[in-house]
Amino acid sequence: METTRQEFETLSRKKLPLHILDLPYDLVHVVFLLCWDQEDEKLRHFPIVASHVCRLWRQYALENPNFWASLTFQTPFPEIDKYTIWLARSNDVPFDLHIGWQPFQRSSIKHAKEIMRLIIPHTQRMRSIWVERVPSKIRRLIFDRLDKVNCMSLVTLRVEKELYMFSTLDQAPWRFRPFAKGGAPQLKEVTLQRIPNDYFIHQFKDLHLLDIADRTLFSTSARHNAEIVQKILSVLSKLHTLRINREVITTGDATPEPTDMRLFQSTLPPITHHSLRELSLLATQRDANAIVSSLILPSLRHLRRDADYGLAIGARCLAMLAQPVLQHPFPNLLNLRLAGGHNPDNPVDPIHYSHMEFLERALASLPRLESLNLEQLDFENNKYIACLARSCPRLKELVFFCCSGFTLVELRSVLRRRGEASDLDPLRIQRLVEQAKEQEGEGSVEFYTEISKGVAGRIVLVGKEYMVA
């Protein structure tokens, strides 16, 4: 027994040569997948590189059909021979199709027909289609060829029209109605840029994601725009994500906006949609207030302006948020960006003063809130700052931007009380941008330093020469 142990220890100390070719196939397969990323320009070509390293790697690469299941036409001459081979290698797995505008600068009709002749025999396993800013005649040819096709595996459709300034008039009227005589029963995600959406809303009622970018979708009437959103949600009962990009932000109509959005609700009763989790609106403040006030969304998690910023909701919506328990419009909301005035010369709009009394009740209706962004609000001499010490038990991030009417001493008291409460999550101030002149003095620097060492990530004071990070 002792001899066997010594032999084992001797062998274990030897530096045996290790080679990647000695790895089992399963581990090599995992390594290949980690080195491959379709969204990364450098990593998307890894399957081709790997297939030219050695005979074994080529075998491994060719045996993985997912490596060859993405067809992208973004060169002046479509690579038909290349993708014919790729489709054969992909076997029967679903594939993704991306047709860009580049092949149609010259010989456009010829190239479009070549691409469609290649694709049509395999449409049963198309997983996604992205047609990006192709000329109108090419878009018409592509979807005319797909009109009678049954795309049984299609989940995602993305169609982008050329920019308005570059668009040309069609030679003949044509309605964009893909799969009208065929079908796409699994279609769940639709992205439309400058493409009419009515057909999709009524033809594919099981959509989970609808992303619309169209400057003609909304009018100058906030009420009319809220009715459009209500119409979309009333038809698409299973929708999880709705994104609307107005593209061109106008000043809106001259009709005075209600000072209390409860008055708006009395003329346009809100509708309830139970499955929506994300609402993204790139629109005017008036549109945002009207749309949010016209909806009750029990499952809503995120209100966004775009991928990076939250949607600003006017303080005049506080009374609407402060509804009785059974009528809370967004009980599962995770982030809220509450805005007062929008005039840099007069940061706090007096019209919002009367709504701050609803702040505590509005926050009480958001028990799952994790991030609160307060912009250009007046806390009226610490009158409304204290409610932050006991509201929103899961709140982790608090942002003040150009707010006034509170002292840093009171804010520190709020943080201390939240830290001492056992049922509240620790509060992290990520950014404090404050314009109130009464905050000047040495005590402010000590307060910032204390917060930054304790719970703060980054604190900035507008108009000061220092920043504590």
Side-chain angles (χ1 to χ4, degrees):
M1 178 66 71
E2 184 65 25
T3 302
T4 303
R5 182 180 295 108
Q6 290 177 354
E7 292 176 352
F8 176 77
E9 292 176 352
T10 301
L11 290 172
S12 64
R13 286 195 295 269
K14 289 184 178 180
K15 295 183 178 180
L16 299 176
L18 300 177
H19 199 281
I20 191 171
L21 296 180
D22 297 327
L23 289 175
Y25 170 76
D26 292 345
L27 291 181
V28 176
H29 178 70
V30 172
V31 172
F32 278 18
L33 291 179
L34 292 176
C35 295
W36 177 53
D37 186 352
Q38 279 287 87
E39 304 300 326
D40 191 309
E41 183 63 30
K42 295 181 179 179
L43 299 179
R44 64 187 301 181
H45 302 294
F46 173 79
I48 299 176
V49 176
S51 66
H52 288 75
V53 172
C54 65
R55 185 184 306 171
L56 185 61
W57 277 33
R58 181 173 180 80
Q59 177 185 344
Y60 288 163
L62 297 183
E63 288 178 352
N64 189 337
N66 292 306
F67 281 167
W68 317 104
S70 179
L71 282 59
T72 302
F73 296 94
Q74 287 185 295
T75 57
F77 297 93
E79 301 170 293
I80 301 298
D81 293 339
K82 168 186 170 179
Y83 288 125
T84 300
I85 297 173
W86 281 36
L87 283 172
R89 292 176 180 174
S90 64
N91 296 327
D92 294 326
V93 302
F95 69 91
D96 303 311
L97 175 63
H98 179 189
I99 303 177
W101 53 268
Q102 294 86 344
F104 311 112
Q105 294 177 303
R106 298 179 181 177
S107 304
S108 57
I109 294 295
K110 176 185 176 182
H111 290 168
K113 289 181 178 179
E114 290 176 350
I115 293 173
M116 296 313 297
R117 276 197 297 267
L118 173 66
I119 298 302
I120 289 297
H122 307 278
T123 53
Q124 289 285 337
R125 57 190 183 97
M126 274 198 306
R127 176 174 49 200
S128 69
I129 304 175
W130 179 7
V131 179
E132 182 185 14
R133 292 185 293 159
V134 302
S136 58
K137 62 180 179 180
I138 302 301
R139 185 171 60 252
R140 178 172 181 173
L141 185 151
I142 291 172
F143 287 101
D144 279 350
R145 297 292 176 93
L146 295 175
D147 184 51
K148 299 180 181 180
V149 171
N150 284 306
C151 295
M152 305 305 295
S153 301
L154 188 65
V155 175
T156 303
L157 175 64
R158 179 174 178 176
V159 185
E160 300 179 17
K161 189 177 180 181
E162 64 272 23
L163 297 175
Y164 289 105
M165 65 182 70
F166 300 120
S167 62
T168 57
L169 295 176
D170 293 333
Q171 297 297 322
W174 176 68
R175 299 186 64 185
F176 181 59
R177 300 168 60 89
F179 320 114
K181 299 178 182 178
Q186 301 301 321
L187 189 62
K188 294 294 186 291
E189 301 177 356
V190 171
T191 298
L192 304 173
Q193 292 195 12
R194 296 170 286 278
I195 298 289
N197 62 81
D198 285 346
Y199 167 76
F200 291 89
I201 293 173
H202 293 90
Q203 182 73 10
F204 305 102
K205 297 184 178 181
D206 291 336
L207 292 182
H208 289 176
L209 181 149
L210 179 61
D211 190 334
I212 303 172
D214 190 352
R215 70 178 185 181
T216 66
L217 178 66
F218 282 171
S219 69
T220 58
S221 168
R223 176 190 172 88
H224 176 259
N225 299 337
E227 290 175 341
I228 290 176
V229 175
Q230 284 189 342
K231 173 187 174 183
I232 292 174
L233 293 179
S234 62
V235 175
L236 302 177
S237 61
K238 299 180 181 180
L239 200 64
H240 294 168
T241 301
L242 176 61
R243 299 172 185 154
I244 297 178
N245 181 350
R246 188 169 180 168
E247 293 196 310
V248 178
I249 305 299
T250 60
T251 57
D253 59 12
T255 306
E257 186 178 13
T259 56
D260 188 335
M261 296 311 292
R262 290 176 298 182
L263 300 176
F264 178 82
Q265 288 181 323
S266 65
T267 62
L268 182 64
I271 66 167
T272 301
H273 191 282
H274 292 282
S275 65
L276 196 70
R277 300 171 187 173
E278 176 186 332
L279 177 61
S280 178
L281 298 171
L282 183 55
T284 65
Q285 181 69 69
R286 181 190 294 263
D287 288 336
N289 290 346
I291 292 171
V292 168
S293 299
S294 68
L295 302 173
I296 297 175
L297 307 172
S299 299
L300 189 69
R301 300 290 193 274
H302 301 284
L303 278 171
R304 303 187 191 277
R305 183 179 184 270
D306 51 37
D308 300 319
Y309 297 98
L311 177 66
I313 302 301
R316 65 183 70 219
C317 295
L318 282 173
M320 177 272 297
L321 291 174
Q323 298 286 349
V325 175
L326 297 179
Q327 300 176 8
H328 287 171
F330 316 122
N332 289 295
L333 191 65
L334 299 180
N335 64 290
L336 176 63
R337 181 181 168 199
L338 191 63
H342 299 277
N343 182 358
D345 298 326
N346 182 22
V348 180
D349 187 347
I351 198 172
H352 296 282
Y353 288 175
S354 60
H355 302 291
M356 291 299 290
E357 63 180 286
F358 298 102
L359 178 63
E360 182 170 5
R361 278 185 286 165
L363 295 179
S365 71
L366 304 170
R368 297 181 178 273
L369 197 69
E370 297 180 357
S371 175
L372 178 60
N373 193 319
L374 303 172
E375 301 180 6
Q376 300 180 348
L377 297 176
D378 181 17
F379 289 88
E380 298 187 31
N381 195 23
N382 294 322
K383 184 177 180 181
Y384 301 113
I385 196 74
C387 67
L388 297 176
R390 52 186 178 271
S391 302
C392 308
R394 298 188 180 182
L395 191 64
K396 297 180 177 64
E397 177 181 310
L398 180 61
V399 176
F400 291 85
F401 179 81
C402 296
C403 294
S404 64
F406 71 95
T407 61
L408 297 179
V409 174
E410 183 62 25
L411 179 58
R412 179 169 54 184
S413 175
V414 168
L415 297 176
R416 181 182 298 111
R417 279 179 283 170
R418 288 192 71 94
E420 295 171 353
S422 59
D423 58 336
L424 300 177
D425 284 350
L427 183 61
R428 176 179 296 275
I429 292 188
Q430 293 285 53
R431 190 161 55 102
L432 178 62
V433 182
E434 173 59 46
Q435 284 188 339
K437 294 182 179 180
E438 63 267 20
Q439 311 305 324
E440 298 179 359
E442 296 180 358
S444 299
V445 181
E446 295 176 359
F447 171 65
Y448 291 144
T449 305
E450 179 181 339
I451 294 182
S452 68
K453 291 181 179 179
V455 298
R458 179 170 178 260
I459 298 176
V460 179
L461 186 65
V462 171
K464 302 290 184 180
E465 296 180 353
Y466 57 81
M467 179 181 72
V468 182

